[in-house]
Amino acid sequence: QVQLVESGGGLVQPGGSLRLSCAASGRIFSINVMGWYRQAPGKEREFIASMTSGGRPNYADSVKGRFTISRDNAKNTVSLQMNSLKPEDTAVYYCNFGSVQGNFWGQGTQVTVSS
């Protein structure tokens, strides 16, 4: 059974940085896309960033220039470096893997940006 586990969330002041990581446990292969989504209270889950197996990144306009996604194909991990954080970045962040086996989600990690 494949499970994704996120880590690295927490409380940070505006302008600060956090790094989120997501690792897969269980047997998973041929991961086409690894990505990050977030959901703020009262809002729908939204796309943040993704990266193909070939290393091509894609970002939501709201985080371009501030967030950087990276992945390690050998370890089946994906990370999200978040800089210049804003209060509106506060949300639960979820990682997502799309593979030939299906679409997998992590349980989410809380990111709170507040002074």
Side-chain angles (χ1 to χ4, degrees), residues 16-111:
S17 299
L18 279 176
R19 184 177 180 85
L20 305 182
S21 296
C22 176
S25 64
R27 184 172 174 80
I28 185 170
F29 50 91
S30 297
I31 303 172
N32 297 318
V33 179
M34 294 182 179
W36 291 92
Y37 292 72
R38 69 186 181 189
Q39 188 168 18
K43 296 186 177 181
E44 294 186 352
R45 190 173 298 189
E46 64 173 349
F47 167 80
I48 295 301
S50 66
M51 181 168 278
T52 65
S53 57
R56 180 172 58 87
N58 188 30
Y59 296 98
D61 288 342
S62 59
V63 305
K64 277 182 182 176
R66 299 188 299 123
F67 291 10
T68 303
I69 189 171
S70 59
R71 63 185 280 175
D72 185 327
N73 292 330
K75 296 181 179 179
N76 287 337
T77 60
V78 64
S79 297
L80 186 69
Q81 178 66 42
M82 305 186 294
N83 299 327
S84 302
L85 283 162
K86 305 175 182 180
E88 51 263 43
D89 293 318
T90 295
V92 178
Y93 284 69
Y94 299 89
C95 63
N96 172 264
F97 286 10
S99 80
V100 296
Q101 297 160 269
N103 200 29
F104 301 97
W105 291 91
Q107 82 287 351
T109 185
Q110 177 70 46
V111 171

